Amino acid sequence: MEARTFTTLEFDKVLEQLSAKASSSLGREKIEQLAPSTDYIEVQRRQQATEEGSTALRLRGTVPLGGIRDIRPACKRAGMGGMLNTAELLDVASTLYGGGRLKGFINSITEKDPLPLLEELLGQVERLQGLEDEINRAIDENGTVVDSASPVLAQVRSQIRGAERRVREKLEQMIRNANTQKMLQDAIITIRNNRFVIPVKQEYRHAFGGIIHDQSASGATLFIEPEAVVNINNELREMRLKEEREVEKILLALSARVAEVSDVLLHNVECLAEADFIFAKASYAYSLKASRPVLNDEGYLRIKKGRHPLIPADHVVPIDVELGSNYTAIVVTGPNTGGKTVSLKTMGLFSLMAMSGLQIPAEEGSVLTIFEGIYADIGDEQSIEQSLSTFSSHMTNISGILQKVNDRSLILFDELGAGTDPTEGAALAMAIIDYVHQRGARIVATTHYSELKAYAYERPQVINASVEFDEKTLRPTYRLLVGIPGRSNAFAIASRLGLPEKVLDQARDLVKTEETELDTMIASLEENQRKAEAERREAEQLRRQLEEARRQIDKELNELDERKDRLYEKAEEEARTAVEKAQREAEHIISGLRQLALEERAGIKEHKLIEARKKLEEATPGLRKKKKPKQNNVPLNQQPLEIGDEVRVISFNQKGEIVDKINDKEFQVQIGIVKMNVKADNLEKLKAAKPQVTHQITKIRSTRDPVKMELDIRGNNVEDAILQIDKYLDEALIGGLHQVSIVHGKGTGLLGIGVQKYLKKHRLVKSFRYGGQGEGGLGATIVELK
């Protein structure tokens, strides 16, 4: 296939749309490399793979493709003895996890619904659970090598923490000293060049000795490492170097483990890339409401209600066309802007899509064939005013096509012969079509020339076609009419636009009688076709009404059966209640009779009482067993995500809770104190939300203790304060409060600044301000809730 054909038929734009459906760079890379295949078996395999992907999407809704990374560069570098960084190692672990999850997903489907190609593909993915666990044990989700990665690292970091504690203790003694505080710009400990320092005023630079590491922009403050802590800082530096060496040793060991299985990992990546590519094709088919075409290698195609994929669904006009059976060439005539070019492109584009393994936006049962070559000569502008250079360009392109054409080619010519003298152009168009037709190729050509209408009637296996034109509105309907040639609408248009009838009559007299008769015949054909089409639509509507009536009858019968069952159950319940009441009364009477017999020594036999009780029991009607409600057997990880669910964020491998739903494909998740928006395919459901929580809010409001109007967080650091505020605001909202006060004190002002920075992004906060007179002033923040 020629690259020019892909551009002309806009296949490259289809690939752009398809690329947006891929979940990883691996899938997008496969799409960029996608090209139509001319091998019938390969095309069938591609279509089967897309169909299996569509089946999985239909059964489960979403496919877990999150967490898969392009780890090929890391694997190759590890294979050459290089050291991978923590991010690269986490990508390896994430890809192993994502691959295992996708493999399990497909296996869960194939237990009931066979997906042979996907099962074979993902069956090649090796889990390598041991390597994944080693990486996750050594590196946390933030990309930090953890203390437990090795005993040496744990010991070194313990020593580092001890040394840091000693340095801080010495420096804190200094900054707490009343004599020292006047020499400090701020009573704080900070870090410069990885060494602990204190901010000293310029005029007291010699009071502490030690080393100056930095100064403020104004020069008024020097950051000095006092002499008293220089030795401890030196020890700390040595310990950190030892820590770096141990971390490097751990990363080298993990990189060596990756190198051992690099070939397996690379094969895993290739399989996962193919799986992402397959599901991208399936997702694209779903978005287009596409169907799988029936394939053949006999040069036959039949498109039913085909819709061009690049035209919006509310504007596209479906086409019906058949080629390769009773006729192998179609000549489409008619005026510009009628949709001829779109119909031409649709046929060529559908063929390219099918040969690439893509489903087509057409009704089920559409048939496409495998071509060895698809060639197109389609220009953006078609008119007799085209310059000679444009005509020459088209002839050069057509000349190249004629050299390659064979009986397994599809040739698409738009405005064939245009751009030159009408007589010569028409003759040239007929000669070119004859040449291509004689070589057995399938051909579709559009033209303005009326001479080609008669040409199609005179040639076997060549048929006329046109695009419908509505004379009432003077607009094309864009419907392709196969079997009816296009006719000139110039007189009709001119008449409706106000051209004098005298001029029109003279023009009609100048037109040859044969052409007038031909136009009359074409008009009759169009009218007959419209009537047939209207009758077909009426029959189709009647069929739909009958199907709807049948569905309604089935629904009413089911409802009648359910109502009958409910009545039976109600009657049985009433009967059971009546019998139980009668039994209780009978027992009471029998008990009284026994007592009476004993008192009066009457001769009532016990066996007669037992027999009477038995007869009462036998009178109880047989009660039907109630149907047990169906159990929800849907696995947890396949249930829809809801607010309150406990989930795992796959890309971070962290647990969290869904606190808000952005839309069907995105949720807000809280991990510790952090809230973030996460895509649905990046979430794995671990535990469902507790039932009835949302329905109990009113009850909670009425039974819990009243929420206080203020929260005192003085003495807390910012992080602890945020945890308290978040919980307090939730309780305040549930308690019906609209305004609350958060008391943070004045102090250094850091706590108040941190609180207000957090409140800016809080979902429940409408506005906030510092307290006014009588409200705590700058020591409190007044919060208005939504």
Side-chain angles (χ1 to χ4, degrees):
M1 297 291 175
E2 296 180 343
R4 176 175 179 173
T5 301
F6 297 162
T7 304
T8 301
L9 297 178
E10 299 178 291
F11 182 63
D12 53 338
K13 294 181 180 179
V14 168
L15 294 185
E16 288 178 12
Q17 291 184 342
L18 176 61
S19 184
K21 302 296 181 181
S23 297
S24 69
S25 60
L26 297 167
R28 287 188 285 275
E29 184 179 307
K30 296 282 287 186
I31 292 168
E32 290 172 2
Q33 299 168 355
L34 179 61
S37 172
T38 59
D39 182 84
Y40 179 74
I41 302 300
E42 171 61 18
V43 174
Q44 286 280 26
R45 190 199 67 80
R46 292 182 179 186
Q47 286 288 346
Q48 177 62 29
T50 306
E51 182 67 17
E52 290 184 13
S54 298
T55 300
L57 279 176
R58 187 181 70 252
L59 293 174
R60 299 298 170 83
T62 58
V63 179
L65 287 165
I68 298 172
R69 307 281 187 268
D70 186 1
I71 59 173
R72 291 174 297 182
C75 291
K76 291 175 183 176
R77 191 149 51 83
M80 293 186 293
M83 184 184 78
L84 305 183
N85 59 39
T86 54
E88 291 171 320
L89 288 167
L90 285 177
D91 282 348
V92 171
S94 176
T95 301
L96 287 172
Y97 176 78
R101 194 167 69 128
L102 182 58
K103 184 175 182 177
F105 170 81
I106 294 300
N107 288 339
S108 69
I109 297 177
T110 54
E111 291 175 359
K112 293 183 178 179
D113 300 278
L115 303 174
L117 292 181
L118 283 173
E119 190 173 13
E120 179 188 1
L121 176 67
L122 292 169
Q124 301 174 48
V125 175
E126 295 191 30
R127 187 68 178 86
L128 300 179
Q129 183 76 54
L131 176 58
E132 180 191 343
D133 292 342
E134 284 184 45
I135 294 173
N136 287 331
R137 278 196 298 267
I139 305 171
D140 65 18
E141 65 277 5
N142 298 317
T144 303
V145 178
V146 297
D147 295 0
S148 57
S150 77
V152 174
L153 183 62
Q155 182 182 9
V156 171
R157 286 185 173 168
S158 176
Q159 293 172 351
I160 289 173
R161 286 191 287 270
E164 288 177 344
R165 189 166 50 252
R166 294 199 305 275
V167 172
R168 284 185 176 277
E169 287 173 356
K170 283 186 174 294
L171 293 178
E172 284 174 358
Q173 288 175 3
M174 291 182 184
I175 64 178
R176 283 199 300 266
N177 187 293
N179 294 327
T180 306
Q181 285 182 354
K182 66 181 182 180
M183 305 178 190
L184 302 177
Q185 197 71 36
D186 292 296
I188 59 171
I189 301 169
T190 186
I191 294 175
R192 290 292 186 276
N193 301 324
N194 283 329
R195 299 175 79 91
F196 289 94
V197 297
I198 54 177
V200 180
K201 295 177 181 177
Q202 171 71 27
E203 56 268 29
Y204 298 107
R205 61 186 301 172
H206 300 296
F208 295 92
I211 305 168
I212 299 173
H213 286 278
D214 198 4
Q215 69 177 10
S216 65
S218 64
T221 305
L222 301 176
F223 295 93
I224 296 177
E225 177 187 357
E227 188 175 359
V229 297
V230 169
N231 289 334
I232 304 177
N233 269 335
N234 288 338
E235 293 175 9
L236 198 53
R237 173 63 178 162
E238 292 176 4
M239 293 175 193
R240 285 179 176 147
L241 290 173
K242 187 175 180 181
E243 177 194 19
E244 290 177 8
R245 288 193 295 271
E246 184 60 22
V247 167
E248 185 176 326
K249 180 180 177 182
I250 293 167
L251 295 180
L252 282 170
L254 291 173
S255 301
R257 286 281 291 115
V258 172
E260 291 173 5
V261 292
S262 60
D263 290 340
V264 175
L265 289 171
L266 290 172
H267 185 65
N268 279 2
V269 168
E270 184 61 30
C271 293
L272 294 173
E274 181 68 18
D276 187 14
F277 170 56
I278 289 171
F279 285 115
K281 292 191 295 179
S283 179
Y284 186 54
Y286 177 80
S287 68
L288 292 179
K289 298 181 180 177
S291 64
R292 179 181 180 178
V294 179
L295 296 174
N296 69 85
D297 58 354
E298 300 171 356
Y300 173 69
L301 62 85
R302 184 179 76 247
I303 298 172
K304 300 164 63 177
K305 302 298 179 187
R307 309 176 305 278
H308 196 289
L310 301 179
I311 299 177
D314 55 344
H315 288 87
V316 68
V317 177
I319 66 167
D320 293 279
V321 64
E322 184 176 2
L323 182 66
S325 178
N326 297 326
Y327 44 86
T328 58
I330 300 176
V331 178
V332 187
T333 52
N336 269 337
T337 70
K340 301 194 305 295
T341 304
V342 171
S343 299
L344 202 71
K345 286 185 174 182
T346 300
M347 296 174 67
L349 184 57
F350 275 19
S351 297
L352 292 175
M353 291 174 67
M355 293 161 65
S356 302
L358 301 177
Q359 295 186 352
I360 60 171
E363 285 189 357
E364 290 188 4
S366 294
V367 181
L368 290 172
T369 189
I370 309 301
F371 293 108
E372 282 186 0
I374 298 176
Y375 307 100
D377 181 69
I378 300 175
D380 292 331
E381 297 291 337
Q382 304 90 18
S383 75
I384 59 174
E385 296 175 358
Q386 287 176 310
S387 65
L388 179 61
S389 60
T390 303
F391 174 77
S392 300
S393 174
H394 281 292
M395 286 300 107
T396 302
N397 185 33
I398 291 172
S399 176
I401 292 173
L402 297 183
Q403 294 174 19
K404 302 168 188 173
V405 65
N406 61 27
D407 61 351
R408 295 196 62 193
S409 301
L410 173 65
I411 313 299
L412 305 171
F413 289 137
D414 193 28
E415 298 303 340
L416 185 60
T420 186
D421 177 78
T423 303
E424 293 180 353
L428 194 58
M430 288 186 281
I432 291 171
I433 294 174
D434 269 342
Y435 182 89
V436 174
H437 182 53
Q438 289 167 6
R439 277 153 183 76
R442 304 306 185 251
I443 179 172
V444 184
T446 69
T447 180
H448 283 305
Y449 300 131
S450 60
E451 290 86 347
L452 269 75
K453 301 173 186 177
Y455 166 85
Y457 281 116
E458 296 168 356
R459 299 295 195 280
Q461 293 193 325
V462 180
I463 193 169
N464 275 311
S466 62
V467 286
E468 189 178 48
F469 189 87
D470 190 338
E471 291 186 12
K472 295 180 180 178
T473 62
L474 302 181
R475 292 179 180 274
T477 66
Y478 303 104
R479 291 177 62 245
L480 184 66
L481 304 176
V482 178
I484 300 177
R487 64 189 179 95
S488 173
N489 296 284
F491 292 159
I493 294 173
S495 175
R496 290 190 177 276
L497 292 178
L499 200 66
E501 282 298 320
K502 185 176 181 180
V503 175
L504 290 172
D505 290 341
Q506 184 178 355
R508 292 188 185 99
D509 292 339
L510 294 173
V511 176
K512 294 179 181 179
T513 305
E514 294 84 353
E515 292 185 7
T516 305
E517 291 176 351
L518 179 61
D519 275 352
T520 302
M521 180 188 68
I522 292 171
S524 176
L525 286 172
E526 288 179 350
E527 180 63 26
N528 290 338
Q529 175 123 351
R530 276 194 291 270
K531 288 181 179 178
E533 184 67 19
E535 290 174 358
R536 188 196 65 78
R537 286 197 297 269
E538 186 178 348
E540 181 67 21
Q541 184 179 1
L542 181 60
R543 183 185 64 81
R544 285 196 298 267
Q545 290 174 351
L546 289 173
E547 288 181 352
E548 180 62 30
R550 188 191 65 186
R551 283 194 295 270
Q552 186 64 29
I553 291 171
D554 289 343
K555 180 182 177 182
E556 290 175 359
L557 286 174
N558 290 334
E559 290 176 351
L560 181 62
D561 287 341
E562 292 175 2
R563 192 158 56 246
K564 182 174 66 176
D565 288 342
R566 287 196 296 271
L567 289 172
Y568 273 130
E569 290 175 2
K570 182 179 179 181
E572 288 173 354
E573 183 64 30
E574 290 174 352
R576 184 187 297 107
T577 303
V579 170
E580 289 174 353
K581 181 179 179 182
Q583 284 177 331
R584 288 194 297 272
E585 291 175 354
E587 287 290 343
H588 180 69
I589 293 170
I590 290 171
S591 177
L593 288 174
R594 280 203 191 97
Q595 186 64 30
L596 183 61
L598 290 174
E599 291 174 356
E600 300 183 1
R601 301 186 183 276
I604 299 176
K605 302 296 185 180
E606 181 66 24
H607 73 275
K608 292 184 178 180
L609 295 175
I610 295 173
E611 187 176 341
R613 184 186 296 111
K614 185 176 180 182
K615 288 181 179 179
L616 274 172
E617 291 174 352
E618 289 174 351
T620 304
L623 302 177
R624 297 182 301 168
K625 294 182 179 178
K626 291 185 178 179
K627 295 179 182 179
K628 294 183 178 179
K630 293 182 179 179
Q631 298 294 321
N632 183 12
N633 293 324
V634 180
L636 186 66
N637 61 357
Q638 294 165 19
Q639 296 177 11
L641 297 170
E642 302 290 347
I643 295 175
D645 287 349
E646 184 179 334
V647 295
R648 182 199 304 277
V649 181
I650 297 167
S651 57
F652 299 130
N653 196 20
Q654 282 289 299
K655 294 181 181 178
E657 181 181 333
I658 295 179
V659 296
D660 198 3
K661 181 176 180 180
I662 309 302
N663 53 50
D664 289 340
K665 297 183 178 179
E666 190 172 6
F667 295 85
Q668 187 178 68
V669 179
Q670 180 159 355
I671 304 174
I673 64 170
V674 178
K675 294 181 182 177
M676 62 178 69
N677 292 349
V678 184
K679 299 289 185 184
D681 60 2
N682 195 21
L683 296 174
E684 179 183 9
K685 190 168 184 175
L686 300 178
K687 187 185 295 183
K690 294 181 180 179
Q692 299 181 346
V693 171
T694 56
H695 303 290
Q696 300 292 337
I697 291 178
T698 305
K699 185 176 179 181
I700 291 171
R701 286 178 177 171
S702 62
T703 58
R704 66 187 300 153
D705 294 335
V707 183
K708 294 181 179 179
M709 295 291 291
E710 70 175 29
L711 172 67
D712 191 340
I713 57 171
R714 288 176 292 185
N716 290 284
N717 58 35
V718 175
E719 191 171 302
D720 291 339
I722 286 173
L723 289 173
Q724 294 183 40
I725 292 170
D726 197 48
K727 180 180 178 183
Y728 173 69
L729 293 180
D730 286 339
E731 292 177 348
L733 184 67
I734 292 173
L737 300 181
H738 298 290
Q739 180 174 298
V740 295
S741 174
I742 299 175
V743 180
H744 44 68
K746 298 178 182 178
T748 61
L750 294 176
L751 181 58
I753 292 171
V755 167
Q756 294 199 357
K757 186 177 180 181
Y758 173 68
L759 292 175
K760 283 182 181 178
K761 301 178 180 179
H762 200 285
R763 69 188 190 286
L764 302 180
V765 175
K766 182 177 180 181
S767 64
F768 62 86
R769 57 179 174 80
Y770 280 116
Q773 187 175 2
E775 293 179 323
L778 297 178
T781 295
I782 309 303
V783 181
E784 184 180 352
L785 301 178
K786 292 181 179 179

